[in-house]
PDB file of all heavy atoms in Angstrom:
ATOM      1  N   ARG A 381      29.130  11.282 -24.066  1.00 87.00           N
ATOM      2  CA  ARG A 381      30.094  11.911 -23.140  1.00 87.00           C
ATOM      3  C   ARG A 381      30.363  11.196 -21.872  1.00 87.00           C
ATOM      4  O   ARG A 381      30.917  11.791 -21.007  1.00 87.00           O
ATOM      5  CB  ARG A 381      29.499  13.324 -22.867  1.00 87.00           C
ATOM      6  CG  ARG A 381      29.390  14.173 -24.191  1.00 87.00           C
ATOM      7  CD  ARG A 381      30.631  14.531 -24.786  1.00 87.00           C
ATOM      8  NE  ARG A 381      31.631  15.292 -23.858  1.00 87.00           N
ATOM      9  CZ  ARG A 381      31.473  16.513 -23.648  1.00 87.00           C
ATOM     10  NH1 ARG A 381      30.468  17.298 -24.151  1.00 87.00           N
ATOM     11  NH2 ARG A 381      32.317  17.151 -22.793  1.00 87.00           N
ATOM     12  N   LEU A 382      29.621  10.020 -21.591  1.00 83.00           N
ATOM     13  CA  LEU A 382      29.551   9.631 -20.239  1.00 83.00           C
ATOM     14  C   LEU A 382      31.101   9.107 -19.868  1.00 83.00           C
ATOM     15  O   LEU A 382      31.206   8.878 -18.571  1.00 83.00           O
ATOM     16  CB  LEU A 382      28.610   8.392 -20.152  1.00 83.00           C
ATOM     17  CG  LEU A 382      28.771   7.179 -20.936  1.00 83.00           C
ATOM     18  CD1 LEU A 382      29.622   6.118 -20.228  1.00 83.00           C
ATOM     19  CD2 LEU A 382      27.435   6.511 -21.223  1.00 83.00           C
ATOM     20  N   ALA A 383      31.977   8.842 -20.718  1.00 80.00           N
ATOM     21  CA  ALA A 383      33.251   8.402 -20.312  1.00 80.00           C
ATOM     22  C   ALA A 383      34.302   9.653 -20.260  1.00 80.00           C
ATOM     23  O   ALA A 383      35.581   9.309 -20.071  1.00 80.00           O
ATOM     24  CB  ALA A 383      33.800   7.259 -21.183  1.00 80.00           C
ATOM     25  N   ASP A 384      33.913  10.825 -20.650  1.00 82.00           N
ATOM     26  CA  ASP A 384      34.883  11.897 -20.636  1.00 82.00           C
ATOM     27  C   ASP A 384      35.325  12.199 -19.315  1.00 82.00           C
ATOM     28  O   ASP A 384      34.514  12.188 -18.313  1.00 82.00           O
ATOM     29  CB  ASP A 384      34.153  13.084 -21.293  1.00 82.00           C
ATOM     30  CG  ASP A 384      34.060  12.865 -22.870  1.00 82.00           C
ATOM     31  OD1 ASP A 384      34.362  11.727 -23.287  1.00 82.00           O
ATOM     32  OD2 ASP A 384      33.466  13.703 -23.529  1.00 82.00           O
ATOM     33  N   PRO A 385      36.483  12.794 -19.052  1.00 76.00           N
ATOM     34  CA  PRO A 385      36.990  13.202 -17.802  1.00 76.00           C
ATOM     35  C   PRO A 385      36.164  14.432 -17.278  1.00 76.00           C
ATOM     36  O   PRO A 385      35.583  15.217 -18.106  1.00 76.00           O
ATOM     37  CB  PRO A 385      38.466  13.774 -18.124  1.00 76.00           C
ATOM     38  CG  PRO A 385      38.750  12.998 -19.305  1.00 76.00           C
ATOM     39  CD  PRO A 385      37.657  12.828 -20.150  1.00 76.00           C
ATOM     40  N   VAL A 386      35.894  14.553 -16.002  1.00 74.00           N
ATOM     41  CA  VAL A 386      35.146  15.438 -15.432  1.00 74.00           C
ATOM     42  C   VAL A 386      35.886  16.773 -15.087  1.00 74.00           C
ATOM     43  O   VAL A 386      35.343  17.779 -14.496  1.00 74.00           O
ATOM     44  CB  VAL A 386      34.353  14.852 -14.186  1.00 74.00           C
ATOM     45  CG1 VAL A 386      33.522  13.849 -14.628  1.00 74.00           C
ATOM     46  CG2 VAL A 386      35.285  14.431 -13.092  1.00 74.00           C
ATOM     47  N   LEU A 387      37.177  16.776 -15.185  1.00 61.00           N
ATOM     48  CA  LEU A 387      37.912  17.882 -14.733  1.00 61.00           C
ATOM     49  C   LEU A 387      37.680  19.042 -15.666  1.00 61.00           C
ATOM     50  O   LEU A 387      37.531  18.862 -16.914  1.00 61.00           O
ATOM     51  CB  LEU A 387      39.499  17.453 -15.042  1.00 61.00           C
ATOM     52  CG  LEU A 387      40.051  16.566 -13.971  1.00 61.00           C
ATOM     53  CD1 LEU A 387      41.473  16.273 -14.389  1.00 61.00           C
ATOM     54  CD2 LEU A 387      40.104  17.163 -12.599  1.00 61.00           C
ATOM     55  N   GLY A 388      37.515  20.193 -14.965  1.00 48.00           N
ATOM     56  CA  GLY A 388      37.142  21.401 -15.692  1.00 48.00           C
ATOM     57  C   GLY A 388      35.899  21.445 -16.382  1.00 48.00           C
ATOM     58  O   GLY A 388      35.649  22.087 -17.422  1.00 48.00           O
ATOM     59  N   THR A 389      34.892  20.733 -15.811  1.00 48.00           N
ATOM     60  CA  THR A 389      33.561  20.693 -16.447  1.00 48.00           C
ATOM     61  C   THR A 389      32.458  21.508 -15.776  1.00 48.00           C
ATOM     62  O   THR A 389      31.282  21.349 -15.833  1.00 48.00           O
ATOM     63  CB  THR A 389      32.936  19.163 -16.578  1.00 48.00           C
ATOM     64  OG1 THR A 389      32.887  18.713 -15.275  1.00 48.00           O
ATOM     65  CG2 THR A 389      33.961  18.357 -17.391  1.00 48.00           C
ATOM     66  N   ALA A 390      32.929  22.502 -15.060  1.00 51.00           N
ATOM     67  CA  ALA A 390      32.095  23.311 -14.117  1.00 51.00           C
ATOM     68  C   ALA A 390      31.193  24.116 -15.089  1.00 51.00           C
ATOM     69  O   ALA A 390      30.141  24.651 -14.631  1.00 51.00           O
ATOM     70  CB  ALA A 390      32.873  24.151 -13.114  1.00 51.00           C
ATOM     71  N   GLY A 391      31.582  24.579 -16.210  1.00 47.00           N
ATOM     72  CA  GLY A 391      30.818  25.370 -17.150  1.00 47.00           C
ATOM     73  C   GLY A 391      31.494  25.406 -18.408  1.00 47.00           C
ATOM     74  O   GLY A 391      32.441  24.747 -18.676  1.00 47.00           O
ATOM     75  N   GLY A 392      30.852  26.170 -19.372  1.00 46.00           N
ATOM     76  CA  GLY A 392      31.230  26.257 -20.765  1.00 46.00           C
ATOM     77  C   GLY A 392      30.697  25.191 -21.605  1.00 46.00           C
ATOM     78  O   GLY A 392      30.025  24.305 -21.195  1.00 46.00           O
ATOM     79  N   ASP A 393      30.762  25.416 -22.973  1.00 46.00           N
ATOM     80  CA  ASP A 393      30.239  24.563 -23.914  1.00 46.00           C
ATOM     81  C   ASP A 393      30.816  23.119 -23.946  1.00 46.00           C
ATOM     82  O   ASP A 393      30.284  22.121 -24.251  1.00 46.00           O
ATOM     83  CB  ASP A 393      30.354  25.092 -25.357  1.00 46.00           C
ATOM     84  CG  ASP A 393      29.695  26.469 -25.538  1.00 46.00           C
ATOM     85  OD1 ASP A 393      28.612  26.616 -24.784  1.00 46.00           O
ATOM     86  OD2 ASP A 393      30.129  27.174 -26.409  1.00 46.00           O
ATOM     87  N   GLY A 394      32.064  23.009 -23.325  1.00 58.00           N
ATOM     88  CA  GLY A 394      32.697  21.685 -23.277  1.00 58.00           C
ATOM     89  C   GLY A 394      32.429  20.876 -22.192  1.00 58.00           C
ATOM     90  O   GLY A 394      32.954  19.733 -21.947  1.00 58.00           O
ATOM     91  N   ALA A 395      31.486  21.315 -21.127  1.00 78.00           N
ATOM     92  CA  ALA A 395      31.246  20.788 -20.025  1.00 78.00           C
ATOM     93  C   ALA A 395      30.483  19.366 -20.233  1.00 78.00           C
ATOM     94  O   ALA A 395      29.642  19.248 -21.075  1.00 78.00           O
ATOM     95  CB  ALA A 395      30.388  21.584 -19.072  1.00 78.00           C
ATOM     96  N   VAL A 396      30.945  18.342 -19.474  1.00 84.00           N
ATOM     97  CA  VAL A 396      30.307  17.093 -19.637  1.00 84.00           C
ATOM     98  C   VAL A 396      28.872  17.151 -18.992  1.00 84.00           C
ATOM     99  O   VAL A 396      28.689  17.726 -17.833  1.00 84.00           O
ATOM    100  CB  VAL A 396      31.092  15.911 -18.862  1.00 84.00           C
ATOM    101  CG1 VAL A 396      30.301  14.597 -18.923  1.00 84.00           C
ATOM    102  CG2 VAL A 396      32.385  15.875 -19.404  1.00 84.00           C
ATOM    103  N   PRO A 397      27.768  16.848 -19.735  1.00 86.00           N
ATOM    104  CA  PRO A 397      26.496  16.890 -19.195  1.00 86.00           C
ATOM    105  C   PRO A 397      26.322  16.230 -17.861  1.00 86.00           C
ATOM    106  O   PRO A 397      26.923  15.135 -17.593  1.00 86.00           O
ATOM    107  CB  PRO A 397      25.608  16.228 -20.289  1.00 86.00           C
ATOM    108  CG  PRO A 397      26.402  16.282 -21.566  1.00 86.00           C
ATOM    109  CD  PRO A 397      27.762  16.283 -21.117  1.00 86.00           C
ATOM    110  N   LEU A 398      25.438  16.776 -16.971  1.00 89.00           N
ATOM    111  CA  LEU A 398      25.297  16.202 -15.668  1.00 89.00           C
ATOM    112  C   LEU A 398      24.755  14.703 -15.789  1.00 89.00           C
ATOM    113  O   LEU A 398      25.164  13.802 -15.041  1.00 89.00           O
ATOM    114  CB  LEU A 398      24.266  17.043 -14.868  1.00 89.00           C
ATOM    115  CG  LEU A 398      23.959  16.483 -13.452  1.00 89.00           C
ATOM    116  CD1 LEU A 398      25.094  16.307 -12.642  1.00 89.00           C
ATOM    117  CD2 LEU A 398      22.779  17.391 -12.769  1.00 89.00           C
ATOM    118  N   ALA A 399      23.860  14.523 -16.793  1.00 90.00           N
ATOM    119  CA  ALA A 399      23.294  13.110 -17.025  1.00 90.00           C
ATOM    120  C   ALA A 399      24.466  12.107 -17.206  1.00 90.00           C
ATOM    121  O   ALA A 399      24.451  10.978 -16.744  1.00 90.00           O
ATOM    122  CB  ALA A 399      22.325  13.158 -18.041  1.00 90.00           C
ATOM    123  N   ALA A 400      25.433  12.565 -18.128  1.00 90.00           N
ATOM    124  CA  ALA A 400      26.429  11.654 -18.445  1.00 90.00           C
ATOM    125  C   ALA A 400      27.446  11.329 -17.180  1.00 90.00           C
ATOM    126  O   ALA A 400      27.773  10.291 -16.998  1.00 90.00           O
ATOM    127  CB  ALA A 400      27.450  12.187 -19.511  1.00 90.00           C
ATOM    128  N   ARG A 401      27.647  12.304 -16.274  1.00 91.00           N
ATOM    129  CA  ARG A 401      28.293  12.166 -15.113  1.00 91.00           C
ATOM    130  C   ARG A 401      27.564  11.216 -14.096  1.00 91.00           C
ATOM    131  O   ARG A 401      28.150  10.383 -13.438  1.00 91.00           O
ATOM    132  CB  ARG A 401      28.588  13.497 -14.456  1.00 91.00           C
ATOM    133  CG  ARG A 401      29.651  14.263 -15.267  1.00 91.00           C
ATOM    134  CD  ARG A 401      29.904  15.692 -14.601  1.00 91.00           C
ATOM    135  NE  ARG A 401      28.995  16.665 -15.169  1.00 91.00           N
ATOM    136  CZ  ARG A 401      28.602  17.800 -14.573  1.00 91.00           C
ATOM    137  NH1 ARG A 401      29.030  18.116 -13.326  1.00 91.00           N
ATOM    138  NH2 ARG A 401      27.801  18.694 -15.157  1.00 91.00           N
ATOM    139  N   ILE A 402      26.254  11.352 -14.138  1.00 93.00           N
ATOM    140  CA  ILE A 402      25.503  10.516 -13.265  1.00 93.00           C
ATOM    141  C   ILE A 402      25.508   9.030 -13.786  1.00 93.00           C
ATOM    142  O   ILE A 402      25.740   8.121 -12.927  1.00 93.00           O
ATOM    143  CB  ILE A 402      23.974  11.013 -13.253  1.00 93.00           C
ATOM    144  CG1 ILE A 402      23.899  12.330 -12.428  1.00 93.00           C
ATOM    145  CG2 ILE A 402      23.093   9.976 -12.602  1.00 93.00           C
ATOM    146  CD1 ILE A 402      22.419  12.952 -12.537  1.00 93.00           C
ATOM    147  N   ILE A 403      25.447   8.916 -15.108  1.00 91.00           N
ATOM    148  CA  ILE A 403      25.360   7.465 -15.632  1.00 91.00           C
ATOM    149  C   ILE A 403      26.830   6.847 -15.287  1.00 91.00           C
ATOM    150  O   ILE A 403      26.927   5.622 -15.012  1.00 91.00           O
ATOM    151  CB  ILE A 403      25.064   7.468 -17.035  1.00 91.00           C
ATOM    152  CG1 ILE A 403      23.603   7.999 -17.368  1.00 91.00           C
ATOM    153  CG2 ILE A 403      25.239   6.085 -17.659  1.00 91.00           C
ATOM    154  CD1 ILE A 403      23.262   8.266 -18.638  1.00 91.00           C
ATOM    155  N   ARG A 404      27.805   7.586 -15.507  1.00 90.00           N
ATOM    156  CA  ARG A 404      29.217   7.037 -15.211  1.00 90.00           C
ATOM    157  C   ARG A 404      29.361   6.540 -13.886  1.00 90.00           C
ATOM    158  O   ARG A 404      29.848   5.495 -13.636  1.00 90.00           O
ATOM    159  CB  ARG A 404      30.293   8.147 -15.530  1.00 90.00           C
ATOM    160  CG  ARG A 404      31.581   7.470 -15.505  1.00 90.00           C
ATOM    161  CD  ARG A 404      32.682   8.462 -15.931  1.00 90.00           C
ATOM    162  NE  ARG A 404      33.948   7.838 -16.057  1.00 90.00           N
ATOM    163  CZ  ARG A 404      35.102   8.510 -16.515  1.00 90.00           C
ATOM    164  NH1 ARG A 404      35.088   9.702 -16.740  1.00 90.00           N
ATOM    165  NH2 ARG A 404      36.275   7.673 -16.633  1.00 90.00           N
ATOM    166  N   VAL A 405      28.842   7.322 -12.891  1.00 91.00           N
ATOM    167  CA  VAL A 405      28.899   6.883 -11.563  1.00 91.00           C
ATOM    168  C   VAL A 405      28.070   5.576 -11.227  1.00 91.00           C
ATOM    169  O   VAL A 405      28.524   4.672 -10.597  1.00 91.00           O
ATOM    170  CB  VAL A 405      28.568   8.041 -10.480  1.00 91.00           C
ATOM    171  CG1 VAL A 405      28.310   7.529  -9.157  1.00 91.00           C
ATOM    172  CG2 VAL A 405      29.668   9.182 -10.565  1.00 91.00           C
ATOM    173  N   ALA A 406      26.891   5.739 -11.732  1.00 92.00           N
ATOM    174  CA  ALA A 406      25.925   4.590 -11.576  1.00 92.00           C
ATOM    175  C   ALA A 406      26.437   3.236 -12.164  1.00 92.00           C
ATOM    176  O   ALA A 406      26.339   2.145 -11.613  1.00 92.00           O
ATOM    177  CB  ALA A 406      24.498   4.841 -12.069  1.00 92.00           C
ATOM    178  N   ASN A 407      26.988   3.477 -13.336  1.00 89.00           N
ATOM    179  CA  ASN A 407      27.564   2.213 -14.081  1.00 89.00           C
ATOM    180  C   ASN A 407      28.808   1.706 -13.231  1.00 89.00           C
ATOM    181  O   ASN A 407      28.956   0.436 -13.127  1.00 89.00           O
ATOM    182  CB  ASN A 407      28.022   2.542 -15.485  1.00 89.00           C
ATOM    183  CG  ASN A 407      28.638   1.469 -16.179  1.00 89.00           C
ATOM    184  OD1 ASN A 407      28.067   0.535 -16.483  1.00 89.00           O
ATOM    185  ND2 ASN A 407      29.921   1.584 -16.498  1.00 89.00           N
ATOM    186  N   ALA A 408      29.695   2.626 -12.885  1.00 89.00           N
ATOM    187  CA  ALA A 408      30.917   2.126 -12.100  1.00 89.00           C
ATOM    188  C   ALA A 408      30.422   1.484 -10.745  1.00 89.00           C
ATOM    189  O   ALA A 408      30.977   0.484 -10.414  1.00 89.00           O
ATOM    190  CB  ALA A 408      31.753   3.293 -11.892  1.00 89.00           C
ATOM    191  N   HIS A 409      29.391   2.068 -10.185  1.00 91.00           N
ATOM    192  CA  HIS A 409      28.935   1.456  -8.972  1.00 91.00           C
ATOM    193  C   HIS A 409      28.428   0.073  -9.150  1.00 91.00           C
ATOM    194  O   HIS A 409      28.732  -0.917  -8.372  1.00 91.00           O
ATOM    195  CB  HIS A 409      27.847   2.364  -8.350  1.00 91.00           C
ATOM    196  CG  HIS A 409      27.239   1.797  -7.118  1.00 91.00           C
ATOM    197  ND1 HIS A 409      26.138   1.019  -7.027  1.00 91.00           N
ATOM    198  CD2 HIS A 409      27.638   1.907  -5.752  1.00 91.00           C
ATOM    199  CE1 HIS A 409      25.869   0.763  -5.720  1.00 91.00           C
ATOM    200  NE2 HIS A 409      26.730   1.258  -5.025  1.00 91.00           N
ATOM    201  N   ASP A 410      27.664  -0.207 -10.231  1.00 90.00           N
ATOM    202  CA  ASP A 410      27.141  -1.537 -10.388  1.00 90.00           C
ATOM    203  C   ASP A 410      28.267  -2.490 -10.845  1.00 90.00           C
ATOM    204  O   ASP A 410      28.254  -3.613 -10.352  1.00 90.00           O
ATOM    205  CB  ASP A 410      26.119  -1.519 -11.430  1.00 90.00           C
ATOM    206  CG  ASP A 410      25.314  -2.857 -11.595  1.00 90.00           C
ATOM    207  OD1 ASP A 410      24.510  -3.123 -10.647  1.00 90.00           O
ATOM    208  OD2 ASP A 410      25.524  -3.593 -12.542  1.00 90.00           O
ATOM    209  N   ASP A 411      29.127  -2.000 -11.642  1.00 87.00           N
ATOM    210  CA  ASP A 411      30.410  -2.877 -12.077  1.00 87.00           C
ATOM    211  C   ASP A 411      31.100  -3.295 -10.860  1.00 87.00           C
ATOM    212  O   ASP A 411      31.525  -4.521 -10.771  1.00 87.00           O
ATOM    213  CB  ASP A 411      31.215  -2.119 -13.050  1.00 87.00           C
ATOM    214  CG  ASP A 411      30.606  -2.119 -14.500  1.00 87.00           C
ATOM    215  OD1 ASP A 411      29.553  -2.808 -14.742  1.00 87.00           O
ATOM    216  OD2 ASP A 411      31.081  -1.282 -15.238  1.00 87.00           O
ATOM    217  N   LEU A 412      31.495  -2.359  -9.955  1.00 88.00           N
ATOM    218  CA  LEU A 412      32.203  -2.636  -8.800  1.00 88.00           C
ATOM    219  C   LEU A 412      31.548  -3.565  -7.874  1.00 88.00           C
ATOM    220  O   LEU A 412      32.094  -4.495  -7.259  1.00 88.00           O
ATOM    221  CB  LEU A 412      32.636  -1.337  -8.077  1.00 88.00           C
ATOM    222  CG  LEU A 412      33.579  -0.443  -8.827  1.00 88.00           C
ATOM    223  CD1 LEU A 412      33.665   0.889  -8.199  1.00 88.00           C
ATOM    224  CD2 LEU A 412      35.044  -1.094  -8.885  1.00 88.00           C
ATOM    225  N   LEU A 413      30.257  -3.361  -7.687  1.00 89.00           N
ATOM    226  CA  LEU A 413      29.409  -4.180  -6.768  1.00 89.00           C
ATOM    227  C   LEU A 413      29.293  -5.618  -7.269  1.00 89.00           C
ATOM    228  O   LEU A 413      29.383  -6.589  -6.629  1.00 89.00           O
ATOM    229  CB  LEU A 413      27.945  -3.655  -6.689  1.00 89.00           C
ATOM    230  CG  LEU A 413      27.093  -4.118  -5.639  1.00 89.00           C
ATOM    231  CD1 LEU A 413      27.904  -3.960  -4.304  1.00 89.00           C
ATOM    232  CD2 LEU A 413      25.856  -3.335  -5.495  1.00 89.00           C
ATOM    233  N   THR A 414      29.184  -5.745  -8.700  1.00 86.00           N
ATOM    234  CA  THR A 414      29.241  -7.051  -9.240  1.00 86.00           C
ATOM    235  C   THR A 414      30.467  -7.775  -9.074  1.00 86.00           C
ATOM    236  O   THR A 414      30.501  -9.008  -8.745  1.00 86.00           O
ATOM    237  CB  THR A 414      28.711  -7.082 -10.777  1.00 86.00           C
ATOM    238  OG1 THR A 414      27.549  -6.309 -10.917  1.00 86.00           O
ATOM    239  CG2 THR A 414      28.777  -8.323 -11.431  1.00 86.00           C
ATOM    240  N   ALA A 415      31.545  -7.026  -9.303  1.00 85.00           N
ATOM    241  CA  ALA A 415      32.888  -7.683  -9.052  1.00 85.00           C
ATOM    242  C   ALA A 415      33.088  -8.104  -7.694  1.00 85.00           C
ATOM    243  O   ALA A 415      33.672  -9.181  -7.284  1.00 85.00           O
ATOM    244  CB  ALA A 415      34.084  -6.631  -9.453  1.00 85.00           C
ATOM    245  N   ALA A 416      32.542  -7.345  -6.736  1.00 86.00           N
ATOM    246  CA  ALA A 416      32.669  -7.696  -5.226  1.00 86.00           C
ATOM    247  C   ALA A 416      31.830  -9.069  -4.999  1.00 86.00           C
ATOM    248  O   ALA A 416      32.234  -9.883  -4.292  1.00 86.00           O
ATOM    249  CB  ALA A 416      32.227  -6.615  -4.377  1.00 86.00           C
TER     250      ALA A 416
END
Side-chain angles (χ1 to χ4, degrees):
R381 303 292 304 279
L382 64 86
D384 289 359
V386 298
L387 290 173
T389 62
D393 295 336
V396 178
L398 176 60
R401 288 176 269 158
I402 290 174
I403 296 170
R404 185 171 191 180
V405 170
N407 176 62
H409 180 265
D410 191 71
D411 286 346
L412 293 168
L413 194 56
T414 300

